[in-house]
Amino acid sequence: MVLAAGVVLLLALGLVALMLVRPSSSAGSASPAAAPSDTSVDAGFARDMSIHHQQAVEMSFIVRDRTSDEAVRRLAYDIINTQANQRGMMLGWLEMWGRAKSSSAPPMEWMGHTFTPRGDGSLMPGMATDTELDRLRAAKGKDAEVLFLKLMTSHHRAGAEMAQAAAGSADTDAIRNLAAGMVQGQQSEIALMADMLKERGAKA
């Protein structure tokens, strides 16, 4: 039931984001006339980061129900709202550009190198494995909090690196600006999570 509610929330946020980025006379670089190519940094980043964000949202929903700690739950809600909205925007831009939302190309190819998934659920750097997600689902209280903070710190570090690459190499203002904002936001949350781990007697 919790998963169903989460899916409804993500679909609603995605639809809102798609409506917000519909083409208009002021759409600028996100308009169909300026659509980046299928192999561009812009399209590759939008696809890969959408997948990366999806797992961050999933982990946040899990920990929300595994602890009563208000600080951790507040962080989880922030990640859910922010990253679900950003994911909706990126999928919306892919739709407007006429680009597929998935690709057979290896992850990270748009960065000039590739990452070969190991078949354990970790599709890109920083992503948690299926085993780690199962551990998070089984944990409670402080154990769930610490595991979540560690997993999300790794997730954010890799995500910030991806976003930094897109902020410096993308062709559209839409992707450059969104990616730059992701770098700032995730670096800020990494620092916050380091403090939260320290408070719980753990390190990232």
Side-chain angles (χ1 to χ4, degrees):
M1 188 168 180
V2 171
L3 179 60
V7 171
V8 171
L9 173 61
L10 293 182
L11 287 174
L13 288 171
L15 287 172
V16 170
L18 182 58
M19 291 173 63
L20 291 174
V21 297
R22 286 290 184 188
S24 69
S25 60
S26 61
S29 60
S31 68
S37 71
D38 198 55
T39 57
S40 65
V41 168
D42 305 70
F45 173 77
R47 292 185 187 111
D48 284 354
M49 190 57 84
S50 292
I51 294 171
H52 216 262
H53 272 18
Q54 184 176 9
Q55 190 187 71
V57 171
E58 179 184 2
M59 288 195 293
S60 297
F61 271 122
I62 293 172
V63 79
R64 181 198 65 175
D65 299 324
R66 308 308 297 164
T67 180
S68 60
D69 184 273
E70 286 303 317
V72 173
R73 287 171 61 86
R74 184 165 53 249
L75 174 62
Y77 277 120
D78 287 345
I79 292 172
I80 290 168
N81 292 330
T82 298
Q83 297 208 12
N85 183 54
Q86 290 174 343
R87 182 172 183 270
M89 292 173 68
M90 291 183 288
L91 293 177
W93 285 328
L94 287 168
E95 178 76 22
M96 288 195 313
W97 295 334
R99 305 305 176 206
K101 297 179 179 67
S102 61
S103 172
S104 60
M108 321 293 289
E109 189 173 58
W110 57 272
M111 289 181 68
H113 59 80
T114 60
F115 177 81
T116 302
R118 299 184 298 266
D120 59 1
S122 180
L123 302 178
M124 277 172 275
M127 291 186 68
T129 65
D130 292 335
T131 298
E132 288 170 332
L133 290 177
D134 286 342
R135 286 175 54 205
L136 182 60
R137 293 186 185 98
K140 294 181 181 179
K142 182 180 175 181
D143 288 341
E145 296 161 19
V146 170
L147 181 55
F148 169 76
L149 292 169
K150 288 184 175 182
L151 292 176
M152 193 59 73
T153 295
S154 296
H155 205 276
H156 271 20
R157 284 174 177 161
E161 183 178 349
M162 290 171 59
Q164 186 69 62
S169 302
D171 292 325
T172 63
D173 288 339
I175 290 295
R176 284 197 301 269
N177 293 338
L178 178 64
M182 287 180 186
V183 174
Q184 294 180 351
Q186 295 196 17
Q187 287 179 341
S188 177
E189 287 183 343
I190 288 170
L192 172 62
M193 290 189 287
D195 289 339
M196 294 173 74
L197 282 167
K198 185 176 180 180
E199 291 170 358
R200 290 162 179 77
K203 295 181 180 180

